[in-house]
Structures are given as C-alpha cells and as structure tokens.
Amino acid sequence: MSQTPNVPKVPVEPPELEALRQRLLTTLSQEAESATGTARPLLTKMHELLVASRPGEPFNPDLYEGVKAAIVDFMKAPVFPPPTVIAECVAFMQERQAVFLSALHGAP
C-alpha cells in the first residue's frame, strides 16, 4: 500500500478573483494589440501568466521567468505612459497569493 503525501488542497478561488482575472485578460488583449516597444511583450507575457493562474492550470516556472525578463526589459526601455494594467496585474497576483495563503493557513 503506497502512502500519499499530505499535500494541502489548493483552495477554491473566490468568484471575485475570477471576475477580476477576466477583466484584466480582456484589457491585456486590447492593450497588447496597440502597444509599442517593450510594453507589447510585457503585456503579452502578463496575459499568458493570468491565463496560467486559472484554477487547475499546471505550474509553469518558465512562464514566471519570461514575465520577469519582460519586466526587466521594460524597466530598461520603458514606454510612457506605462499601461496601468501592468500594475493592476501585479496587484491581482498579490491578492490571489494572499487569498490562497490565508485559506491554507487560516485567516488571522
């Protein structure tokens, strides 16, 4: 008889997060079409990241490295004004992580 490691289940994603993700994905798609310079690859990578953050999607560490590289490139040659959706995506990922950590470890 094999033992299954005691791995915590991923919490169910609140509907508010899914709604926000959908809004951000729409905005990312629209803005990426008209973006120029280093903003376009960053918006495209952020779109891929948000798609990959859907429940049930496998973790892809290469995607995170791609987003990181796109951010570094953007910081070296920024586009002004920077698309506001970039900061909104970062805030979404932080909120998503906070919600999941709270659910896994119990709300304070």
Side-chain angles (χ1 to χ4, degrees), residues 51-90:
V51 167
S53 74
R54 288 179 172 145
E57 292 292 324
F59 177 72
N60 180 354
D62 293 338
L63 180 56
Y64 287 86
E65 288 302 316
V67 171
K68 180 180 169 183
I71 290 171
V72 168
D73 290 345
F74 183 80
M75 297 302 289
K76 289 179 183 175
V79 173
F80 291 103
T84 58
V85 71
I86 294 170
E88 291 173 23
C89 289
V90 171

mmCIF file of all heavy atoms in Angstrom, residues 51-90:
data_model
loop_
_atom_site.group_PDB
_atom_site.id
_atom_site.type_symbol
_atom_site.label_atom_id
_atom_site.label_comp_id
_atom_site.label_asym_id
_atom_site.label_seq_id
_atom_site.Cartn_x
_atom_site.Cartn_y
_atom_site.Cartn_z
ATOM 1 N N VAL A 51 -3.642 33.764 -17.657
ATOM 2 C CA VAL A 51 -4.314 32.559 -18.156
ATOM 3 C C VAL A 51 -3.823 31.352 -17.359
ATOM 4 O O VAL A 51 -4.613 30.512 -16.934
ATOM 5 C CB VAL A 51 -4.064 32.368 -19.670
ATOM 6 C CG1 VAL A 51 -4.468 30.975 -20.122
ATOM 7 C CG2 VAL A 51 -4.807 33.431 -20.476
ATOM 8 N N ALA A 52 -2.524 31.280 -17.132
ATOM 9 C CA ALA A 52 -1.933 30.145 -16.411
ATOM 10 C C ALA A 52 -2.281 30.144 -14.926
ATOM 11 O O ALA A 52 -2.098 29.127 -14.258
ATOM 12 C CB ALA A 52 -0.416 30.151 -16.587
ATOM 13 N N SER A 53 -2.793 31.251 -14.410
ATOM 14 C CA SER A 53 -3.147 31.309 -12.989
ATOM 15 C C SER A 53 -4.563 30.808 -12.726
ATOM 16 O O SER A 53 -5.002 30.773 -11.578
ATOM 17 C CB SER A 53 -2.987 32.741 -12.451
ATOM 18 O OG SER A 53 -4.031 33.584 -12.920
ATOM 19 N N ARG A 54 -5.261 30.400 -13.776
ATOM 20 C CA ARG A 54 -6.616 29.851 -13.590
ATOM 21 C C ARG A 54 -6.524 28.549 -12.791
ATOM 22 O O ARG A 54 -5.558 27.789 -12.945
ATOM 23 C CB ARG A 54 -7.276 29.574 -14.933
ATOM 24 C CG ARG A 54 -7.669 30.816 -15.675
ATOM 25 C CD ARG A 54 -8.285 30.458 -17.013
ATOM 26 N NE ARG A 54 -8.832 31.634 -17.661
ATOM 27 C CZ ARG A 54 -8.820 31.830 -18.965
ATOM 28 N NH1 ARG A 54 -8.288 30.933 -19.780
ATOM 29 N NH2 ARG A 54 -9.345 32.918 -19.475
ATOM 30 N N PRO A 55 -7.533 28.291 -11.981
ATOM 31 C CA PRO A 55 -7.537 27.034 -11.213
ATOM 32 C C PRO A 55 -7.419 25.825 -12.142
ATOM 33 O O PRO A 55 -8.026 25.778 -13.208
ATOM 34 C CB PRO A 55 -8.907 27.051 -10.524
ATOM 35 C CG PRO A 55 -9.257 28.498 -10.432
ATOM 36 C CD PRO A 55 -8.690 29.130 -11.682
ATOM 37 N N GLY A 56 -6.577 24.894 -11.733
ATOM 38 C CA GLY A 56 -6.391 23.664 -12.496
ATOM 39 C C GLY A 56 -5.284 23.720 -13.525
ATOM 40 O O GLY A 56 -4.885 22.692 -14.065
ATOM 41 N N GLU A 57 -4.776 24.904 -13.831
ATOM 42 C CA GLU A 57 -3.675 25.032 -14.791
ATOM 43 C C GLU A 57 -2.378 24.577 -14.126
ATOM 44 O O GLU A 57 -2.138 24.868 -12.965
ATOM 45 C CB GLU A 57 -3.521 26.476 -15.272
ATOM 46 C CG GLU A 57 -4.662 26.968 -16.129
ATOM 47 C CD GLU A 57 -4.721 26.270 -17.479
ATOM 48 O OE1 GLU A 57 -3.664 25.968 -18.055
ATOM 49 O OE2 GLU A 57 -5.848 26.010 -17.939
ATOM 50 N N PRO A 58 -1.532 23.857 -14.849
ATOM 51 C CA PRO A 58 -0.269 23.404 -14.256
ATOM 52 C C PRO A 58 0.700 24.567 -14.042
ATOM 53 O O PRO A 58 0.680 25.543 -14.791
ATOM 54 C CB PRO A 58 0.278 22.422 -15.302
ATOM 55 C CG PRO A 58 -0.354 22.834 -16.584
ATOM 56 C CD PRO A 58 -1.699 23.420 -16.229
ATOM 57 N N PHE A 59 1.499 24.441 -13.015
ATOM 58 C CA PHE A 59 2.509 25.460 -12.721
ATOM 59 C C PHE A 59 3.603 25.402 -13.781
ATOM 60 O O PHE A 59 4.095 24.335 -14.125
ATOM 61 C CB PHE A 59 3.111 25.212 -11.333
ATOM 62 C CG PHE A 59 4.208 26.167 -10.981
ATOM 63 C CD1 PHE A 59 3.930 27.487 -10.691
ATOM 64 C CD2 PHE A 59 5.529 25.746 -10.952
ATOM 65 C CE1 PHE A 59 4.940 28.381 -10.364
ATOM 66 C CE2 PHE A 59 6.546 26.628 -10.626
ATOM 67 C CZ PHE A 59 6.253 27.943 -10.337
ATOM 68 N N ASN A 60 3.967 26.565 -14.298
ATOM 69 C CA ASN A 60 5.000 26.647 -15.330
ATOM 70 C C ASN A 60 6.053 27.670 -14.894
ATOM 71 O O ASN A 60 5.887 28.870 -15.109
ATOM 72 C CB ASN A 60 4.374 27.061 -16.662
ATOM 73 C CG ASN A 60 5.389 27.173 -17.772
ATOM 74 O OD1 ASN A 60 6.587 27.059 -17.564
ATOM 75 N ND2 ASN A 60 4.909 27.416 -18.973
ATOM 76 N N PRO A 61 7.150 27.205 -14.289
ATOM 77 C CA PRO A 61 8.172 28.144 -13.808
ATOM 78 C C PRO A 61 8.805 28.952 -14.936
ATOM 79 O O PRO A 61 9.229 30.084 -14.721
ATOM 80 C CB PRO A 61 9.191 27.261 -13.104
ATOM 81 C CG PRO A 61 8.928 25.884 -13.569
ATOM 82 C CD PRO A 61 7.495 25.821 -13.997
ATOM 83 N N ASP A 62 8.857 28.396 -16.148
ATOM 84 C CA ASP A 62 9.422 29.139 -17.275
ATOM 85 C C ASP A 62 8.598 30.382 -17.596
ATOM 86 O O ASP A 62 9.144 31.405 -18.023
ATOM 87 C CB ASP A 62 9.512 28.251 -18.520
ATOM 88 C CG ASP A 62 10.524 27.130 -18.359
ATOM 89 O OD1 ASP A 62 11.438 27.259 -17.511
ATOM 90 O OD2 ASP A 62 10.389 26.115 -19.058
ATOM 91 N N LEU A 63 7.311 30.294 -17.386
ATOM 92 C CA LEU A 63 6.446 31.446 -17.636
ATOM 93 C C LEU A 63 6.788 32.597 -16.690
ATOM 94 O O LEU A 63 6.872 33.750 -17.102
ATOM 95 C CB LEU A 63 4.975 31.058 -17.493
ATOM 96 C CG LEU A 63 3.959 32.160 -17.731
ATOM 97 C CD1 LEU A 63 4.120 32.794 -19.102
ATOM 98 C CD2 LEU A 63 2.552 31.601 -17.569
ATOM 99 N N TYR A 64 7.024 32.283 -15.438
ATOM 100 C CA TYR A 64 7.393 33.318 -14.466
ATOM 101 C C TYR A 64 8.727 33.953 -14.846
ATOM 102 O O TYR A 64 8.908 35.166 -14.713
ATOM 103 C CB TYR A 64 7.427 32.747 -13.046
ATOM 104 C CG TYR A 64 6.052 32.484 -12.508
ATOM 105 C CD1 TYR A 64 5.395 31.284 -12.765
ATOM 106 C CD2 TYR A 64 5.372 33.442 -11.777
ATOM 107 C CE1 TYR A 64 4.112 31.043 -12.301
ATOM 108 C CE2 TYR A 64 4.090 33.224 -11.303
ATOM 109 C CZ TYR A 64 3.467 32.024 -11.569
ATOM 110 O OH TYR A 64 2.193 31.805 -11.111
ATOM 111 N N GLU A 65 9.654 33.150 -15.326
ATOM 112 C CA GLU A 65 10.942 33.693 -15.786
ATOM 113 C C GLU A 65 10.737 34.593 -17.002
ATOM 114 O O GLU A 65 11.403 35.619 -17.142
ATOM 115 C CB GLU A 65 11.923 32.565 -16.099
ATOM 116 C CG GLU A 65 12.442 31.852 -14.871
ATOM 117 C CD GLU A 65 13.149 32.778 -13.890
ATOM 118 O OE1 GLU A 65 13.957 33.638 -14.327
ATOM 119 O OE2 GLU A 65 12.889 32.664 -12.682
ATOM 120 N N GLY A 66 9.826 34.226 -17.895
ATOM 121 C CA GLY A 66 9.525 35.043 -19.069
ATOM 122 C C GLY A 66 8.925 36.383 -18.687
ATOM 123 O O GLY A 66 9.279 37.422 -19.258
ATOM 124 N N VAL A 67 8.031 36.379 -17.703
ATOM 125 C CA VAL A 67 7.439 37.630 -17.220
ATOM 126 C C VAL A 67 8.519 38.487 -16.573
ATOM 127 O O VAL A 67 8.602 39.695 -16.822
ATOM 128 C CB VAL A 67 6.281 37.363 -16.234
ATOM 129 C CG1 VAL A 67 5.815 38.650 -15.577
ATOM 130 C CG2 VAL A 67 5.122 36.683 -16.945
ATOM 131 N N LYS A 68 9.352 37.852 -15.771
ATOM 132 C CA LYS A 68 10.438 38.585 -15.105
ATOM 133 C C LYS A 68 11.354 39.241 -16.145
ATOM 134 O O LYS A 68 11.702 40.422 -16.013
ATOM 135 C CB LYS A 68 11.234 37.628 -14.219
ATOM 136 C CG LYS A 68 12.371 38.265 -13.473
ATOM 137 C CD LYS A 68 13.081 37.218 -12.631
ATOM 138 C CE LYS A 68 14.372 37.742 -12.066
ATOM 139 N NZ LYS A 68 15.087 36.707 -11.301
ATOM 140 N N ALA A 69 11.727 38.507 -17.181
ATOM 141 C CA ALA A 69 12.590 39.052 -18.233
ATOM 142 C C ALA A 69 11.902 40.204 -18.958
ATOM 143 O O ALA A 69 12.535 41.222 -19.273
ATOM 144 C CB ALA A 69 12.980 37.959 -19.218
ATOM 145 N N ALA A 70 10.602 40.067 -19.218
ATOM 146 C CA ALA A 70 9.860 41.140 -19.895
ATOM 147 C C ALA A 70 9.790 42.394 -19.024
ATOM 148 O O ALA A 70 9.876 43.514 -19.535
ATOM 149 C CB ALA A 70 8.457 40.659 -20.268
ATOM 150 N N ILE A 71 9.672 42.209 -17.718
ATOM 151 C CA ILE A 71 9.661 43.366 -16.798
ATOM 152 C C ILE A 71 11.019 44.047 -16.805
ATOM 153 O O ILE A 71 11.116 45.280 -16.858
ATOM 154 C CB ILE A 71 9.252 42.932 -15.373
ATOM 155 C CG1 ILE A 71 7.767 42.557 -15.349
ATOM 156 C CG2 ILE A 71 9.544 44.044 -14.361
ATOM 157 C CD1 ILE A 71 7.312 41.915 -14.051
ATOM 158 N N VAL A 72 12.090 43.255 -16.762
ATOM 159 C CA VAL A 72 13.449 43.823 -16.781
ATOM 160 C C VAL A 72 13.659 44.614 -18.075
ATOM 161 O O VAL A 72 14.154 45.750 -18.042
ATOM 162 C CB VAL A 72 14.517 42.712 -16.614
ATOM 163 C CG1 VAL A 72 15.908 43.238 -16.925
ATOM 164 C CG2 VAL A 72 14.459 42.134 -15.206
ATOM 165 N N ASP A 73 13.257 44.044 -19.205
ATOM 166 C CA ASP A 73 13.385 44.750 -20.486
ATOM 167 C C ASP A 73 12.581 46.040 -20.481
ATOM 168 O O ASP A 73 13.039 47.079 -20.965
ATOM 169 C CB ASP A 73 12.929 43.864 -21.648
ATOM 170 C CG ASP A 73 13.881 42.703 -21.912
ATOM 171 O OD1 ASP A 73 15.025 42.739 -21.408
ATOM 172 O OD2 ASP A 73 13.465 41.772 -22.628
ATOM 173 N N PHE A 74 11.370 45.978 -19.929
ATOM 174 C CA PHE A 74 10.510 47.161 -19.874
ATOM 175 C C PHE A 74 11.143 48.254 -19.000
ATOM 176 O O PHE A 74 11.096 49.434 -19.346
ATOM 177 C CB PHE A 74 9.119 46.800 -19.344
ATOM 178 C CG PHE A 74 8.167 47.958 -19.318
ATOM 179 C CD1 PHE A 74 7.527 48.363 -20.476
ATOM 180 C CD2 PHE A 74 7.915 48.657 -18.150
ATOM 181 C CE1 PHE A 74 6.650 49.436 -20.478
ATOM 182 C CE2 PHE A 74 7.050 49.729 -18.129
ATOM 183 C CZ PHE A 74 6.417 50.121 -19.296
ATOM 184 N N MET A 75 11.743 47.844 -17.888
ATOM 185 C CA MET A 75 12.372 48.827 -16.989
ATOM 186 C C MET A 75 13.594 49.476 -17.641
ATOM 187 O O MET A 75 13.896 50.635 -17.370
ATOM 188 C CB MET A 75 12.765 48.164 -15.664
ATOM 189 C CG MET A 75 11.576 47.634 -14.876
ATOM 190 S SD MET A 75 10.349 48.893 -14.482
ATOM 191 C CE MET A 75 11.226 49.835 -13.279
ATOM 192 N N LYS A 76 14.271 48.742 -18.516
ATOM 193 C CA LYS A 76 15.437 49.304 -19.212
ATOM 194 C C LYS A 76 15.017 50.295 -20.289
ATOM 195 O O LYS A 76 15.739 51.250 -20.568
ATOM 196 C CB LYS A 76 16.260 48.186 -19.853
ATOM 197 C CG LYS A 76 17.009 47.326 -18.863
ATOM 198 C CD LYS A 76 17.778 46.238 -19.582
ATOM 199 C CE LYS A 76 18.472 45.306 -18.609
ATOM 200 N NZ LYS A 76 19.120 44.182 -19.325
ATOM 201 N N ALA A 77 13.874 50.042 -20.917
ATOM 202 C CA ALA A 77 13.386 50.909 -22.004
ATOM 203 C C ALA A 77 11.878 51.067 -21.860
ATOM 204 O O ALA A 77 11.104 50.511 -22.642
ATOM 205 C CB ALA A 77 13.743 50.307 -23.358
ATOM 206 N N PRO A 78 11.455 51.823 -20.837
ATOM 207 C CA PRO A 78 10.020 51.937 -20.579
ATOM 208 C C PRO A 78 9.283 52.711 -21.671
ATOM 209 O O PRO A 78 9.864 53.509 -22.395
ATOM 210 C CB PRO A 78 9.959 52.688 -19.250
ATOM 211 C CG PRO A 78 11.256 53.398 -19.139
ATOM 212 C CD PRO A 78 12.260 52.596 -19.902
ATOM 213 N N VAL A 79 8.005 52.434 -21.751
ATOM 214 C CA VAL A 79 7.100 53.146 -22.649
ATOM 215 C C VAL A 79 6.295 54.092 -21.766
ATOM 216 O O VAL A 79 5.791 53.692 -20.718
ATOM 217 C CB VAL A 79 6.172 52.147 -23.375
ATOM 218 C CG1 VAL A 79 5.125 52.871 -24.181
ATOM 219 C CG2 VAL A 79 6.997 51.217 -24.248
ATOM 220 N N PHE A 80 6.186 55.334 -22.186
ATOM 221 C CA PHE A 80 5.440 56.319 -21.404
ATOM 222 C C PHE A 80 4.216 56.775 -22.164
ATOM 223 O O PHE A 80 4.294 57.008 -23.366
ATOM 224 C CB PHE A 80 6.332 57.518 -21.072
ATOM 225 C CG PHE A 80 7.416 57.174 -20.096
ATOM 226 C CD1 PHE A 80 8.710 56.988 -20.536
ATOM 227 C CD2 PHE A 80 7.134 57.017 -18.755
ATOM 228 C CE1 PHE A 80 9.722 56.651 -19.655
ATOM 229 C CE2 PHE A 80 8.140 56.679 -17.860
ATOM 230 C CZ PHE A 80 9.435 56.499 -18.309
ATOM 231 N N PRO A 81 3.102 56.909 -21.490
ATOM 232 C CA PRO A 81 2.871 56.463 -20.113
ATOM 233 C C PRO A 81 2.787 54.945 -20.072
ATOM 234 O O PRO A 81 2.310 54.328 -21.016
ATOM 235 C CB PRO A 81 1.530 57.100 -19.750
ATOM 236 C CG PRO A 81 0.813 57.249 -21.041
ATOM 237 C CD PRO A 81 1.880 57.471 -22.086
ATOM 238 N N PRO A 82 3.242 54.354 -18.980
ATOM 239 C CA PRO A 82 3.170 52.899 -18.890
ATOM 240 C C PRO A 82 1.707 52.453 -18.789
ATOM 241 O O PRO A 82 0.895 53.146 -18.171
ATOM 242 C CB PRO A 82 3.933 52.569 -17.610
ATOM 243 C CG PRO A 82 3.955 53.827 -16.829
ATOM 244 C CD PRO A 82 3.844 54.961 -17.796
ATOM 245 N N PRO A 83 1.371 51.348 -19.401
ATOM 246 C CA PRO A 83 -0.005 50.854 -19.297
ATOM 247 C C PRO A 83 -0.371 50.576 -17.835
ATOM 248 O O PRO A 83 0.362 49.855 -17.142
ATOM 249 C CB PRO A 83 0.009 49.568 -20.113
ATOM 250 C CG PRO A 83 1.191 49.694 -21.027
ATOM 251 C CD PRO A 83 2.192 50.501 -20.275
ATOM 252 N N THR A 84 -1.472 51.127 -17.373
ATOM 253 C CA THR A 84 -1.879 50.941 -15.975
ATOM 254 C C THR A 84 -2.240 49.492 -15.664
ATOM 255 O O THR A 84 -2.174 49.078 -14.513
ATOM 256 C CB THR A 84 -3.063 51.852 -15.608
ATOM 257 O OG1 THR A 84 -4.153 51.567 -16.489
ATOM 258 C CG2 THR A 84 -2.677 53.319 -15.706
ATOM 259 N N VAL A 85 -2.585 48.732 -16.696
ATOM 260 C CA VAL A 85 -2.961 47.340 -16.476
ATOM 261 C C VAL A 85 -1.785 46.525 -15.932
ATOM 262 O O VAL A 85 -1.999 45.510 -15.262
ATOM 263 C CB VAL A 85 -3.551 46.718 -17.761
ATOM 264 C CG1 VAL A 85 -2.477 46.498 -18.818
ATOM 265 C CG2 VAL A 85 -4.280 45.422 -17.466
ATOM 266 N N ILE A 86 -0.566 46.972 -16.155
ATOM 267 C CA ILE A 86 0.604 46.262 -15.619
ATOM 268 C C ILE A 86 0.528 46.232 -14.095
ATOM 269 O O ILE A 86 0.645 45.167 -13.480
ATOM 270 C CB ILE A 86 1.921 46.903 -16.102
ATOM 271 C CG1 ILE A 86 2.072 46.740 -17.617
ATOM 272 C CG2 ILE A 86 3.123 46.308 -15.359
ATOM 273 C CD1 ILE A 86 3.210 47.538 -18.224
ATOM 274 N N ALA A 87 0.321 47.386 -13.487
ATOM 275 C CA ALA A 87 0.221 47.450 -12.025
ATOM 276 C C ALA A 87 -1.007 46.700 -11.527
ATOM 277 O O ALA A 87 -0.966 46.063 -10.462
ATOM 278 C CB ALA A 87 0.171 48.907 -11.561
ATOM 279 N N GLU A 88 -2.090 46.739 -12.291
ATOM 280 C CA GLU A 88 -3.302 46.019 -11.903
ATOM 281 C C GLU A 88 -3.060 44.507 -11.892
ATOM 282 O O GLU A 88 -3.569 43.803 -11.019
ATOM 283 C CB GLU A 88 -4.448 46.362 -12.839
ATOM 284 C CG GLU A 88 -4.937 47.793 -12.704
ATOM 285 C CD GLU A 88 -5.972 48.161 -13.761
ATOM 286 O OE1 GLU A 88 -6.630 47.252 -14.311
ATOM 287 O OE2 GLU A 88 -6.120 49.352 -14.037
ATOM 288 N N CYS A 89 -2.278 44.024 -12.835
ATOM 289 C CA CYS A 89 -1.958 42.584 -12.887
ATOM 290 C C CYS A 89 -1.083 42.176 -11.711
ATOM 291 O O CYS A 89 -1.294 41.114 -11.109
ATOM 292 C CB CYS A 89 -1.267 42.238 -14.199
ATOM 293 S SG CYS A 89 -2.360 42.304 -15.624
ATOM 294 N N VAL A 90 -0.116 43.008 -11.377
ATOM 295 C CA VAL A 90 0.746 42.716 -10.227
ATOM 296 C C VAL A 90 -0.106 42.692 -8.955
ATOM 297 O O VAL A 90 0.020 41.768 -8.131
ATOM 298 C CB VAL A 90 1.895 43.742 -10.119
ATOM 299 C CG1 VAL A 90 2.650 43.584 -8.811
ATOM 300 C CG2 VAL A 90 2.832 43.609 -11.313
#
